[in-house]
Amino acid sequence: MDPLFCRDVGVGQPIVVLHGGPEFDHTYLLPELDRLAESFRLVYYDQRGRGRSVSGVRPDQVDLRSEIDDVDRVRTRFGLKSVALLGHSWGGVLAMEYAIRHPDRVSQLILLDTAPASAGGWQVMRDELGRRRPAADIEEMRAIAATDAYGCGDLDAADAYNRIHFRITVRPDLLDALVVRLRSNYTADGVLLARAIEQRLSDETFRSADWDLVPALQGLDVPTLLLHGEHDFIPVELAARIADAVPGARLEVLPGCGHFTYLEAPERVCEEVARFCAAG
């Protein structure tokens, strides 16, 4: 039995949606991205070991190769010859990794507030976070992470940590709703599993000094759109590096938005995605 939880909505050109984290699940993207279901077929899934895709999964069963294989498993499960891939944050990295390996199976690539495409870019992001995040927030996050509750996967402790982590990059009036969504399908054991998986995936990508997708992106022949928040804690310059690498790629910077542009400017995001996909 396929352990991947999938959600299939809408009719039309297929778009497979890849959530971020990588320790979260697809729920935090709803309901805003469902606006696209008025014109497109959206296939969401919880990545292996996260959300509702946890049955029988161990951390050592998940790595970058299995993540890429799972994208293809979802594509074939729904009988799709090629799909548009829409990846948010970490999902953008997964979308790029898949497109590099299987460009013939990707009709379009949409990178929404994408994470960096190289270990060097990851360090630029960390440096920017160090400059932007108030010292008091850093200390508070460290204090929460040191508690027994956090170490045991307690949901309230995880929420408290995420509330501080993301408040520099999302509108204050949207923060609480976002934090609730991030863990809505999790238990304490699920939190610990997802954290272990995040560590494994980070070690293969961001924390690996030689990880760099940019050279391969320079040969990618897939129409590509990047949407990035002006105030994202992932600097716009890192999205621009990706746009500069992929031939013909277009970067749109959304003013007044942070890392969750689909939440802060849902109409603009969905309009841009729909226009891009319709242009084919």
Side-chain angles (χ1 to χ4, degrees):
M1 180 178 177
D2 194 330
L4 298 178
F5 174 86
C6 296
R7 179 172 175 268
D8 180 15
V9 296
V11 177
Q13 178 186 352
I15 301 176
V16 172
V17 181
L18 307 177
H19 66 74
E23 76 272 30
F24 304 129
D25 67 18
H26 85 278
T27 309
Y28 76 90
L29 298 166
L30 305 179
E32 289 77 18
L33 280 188
D34 267 1
R35 295 178 183 219
L36 289 168
E38 297 175 6
S39 304
F40 300 93
R41 181 184 184 184
L42 303 180
V43 177
Y44 302 90
Y45 74 99
D46 291 349
Q47 291 157 27
R48 188 176 298 264
R50 281 140 290 175
R52 284 168 281 188
S53 296
V54 298
S55 180
V57 178
R58 302 189 314 270
D60 62 0
Q61 295 173 319
V62 182
D63 56 18
L64 186 58
R65 179 73 265 172
S66 72
E67 292 282 273
I68 294 166
D69 288 346
D70 280 345
V71 177
D72 210 50
R73 182 174 287 105
V74 171
R75 182 188 63 82
T76 57
R77 175 173 167 178
F78 289 94
L80 306 172
K81 182 177 180 181
S82 68
V83 296
L85 287 181
L86 189 160
H88 177 254
S89 194
W90 156 260
V93 170
L94 182 52
M96 287 186 282
E97 290 274 11
Y98 182 86
I100 288 167
R101 289 164 176 79
H102 305 294
D104 57 316
R105 303 173 193 175
V106 181
S107 60
Q108 286 134 323
L109 189 60
I110 304 144
L111 305 177
L112 185 60
D113 312 309
T114 186
S118 68
W122 174 253
Q123 187 58 52
V124 170
M125 185 189 80
R126 288 178 62 87
D127 292 344
E128 178 67 11
L129 274 173
R131 286 190 291 269
R132 288 179 54 181
R133 200 184 301 281
D137 283 8
I138 295 172
E139 289 304 313
E140 192 173 358
M141 290 169 65
R142 286 175 177 166
I144 293 171
T147 64
D148 290 341
Y150 186 86
C152 292
D154 180 79
L155 297 180
D156 289 338
D159 285 353
Y161 186 94
N162 287 330
R163 186 170 287 106
I164 301 167
H165 178 61
F166 288 117
R167 69 186 175 195
I168 66 169
T169 193
V170 69
R171 282 203 334 247
D173 59 306
L174 299 173
L175 178 61
D176 285 343
L178 171 66
V179 168
V180 169
R181 294 185 198 181
L182 294 176
R183 297 297 186 194
S184 60
N185 295 308
Y186 281 79
T187 63
D189 286 344
V191 168
L192 295 180
L193 175 61
R195 283 181 191 162
I197 289 171
E198 179 187 32
Q199 181 66 48
R200 286 176 58 83
L201 294 172
S202 297
D203 286 346
E204 282 192 89
T205 55
F206 307 133
R207 295 192 179 103
S208 177
D210 60 352
W211 179 74
D212 187 356
L213 297 182
V214 172
L217 290 173
Q218 291 171 344
L220 185 63
D221 185 20
V222 174
T224 300
L225 170 69
L226 294 94
L227 300 175
H228 211 82
E230 176 187 17
H231 303 303
D232 197 328
F233 60 10
I234 300 173
V236 172
E237 68 179 88
L238 299 179
R241 290 182 189 178
I242 297 170
D244 289 343
V246 180
R250 179 166 63 89
L251 168 63
E252 290 290 336
V253 178
L254 278 61
C257 292
H259 188 59
F260 299 89
T261 51
Y262 69 91
L263 184 61
E264 297 181 290
E267 291 185 4
R268 171 74 186 279
V269 167
C270 289
E271 286 172 2
E272 291 285 355
V273 171
R275 186 179 305 115
F276 173 70
C277 288

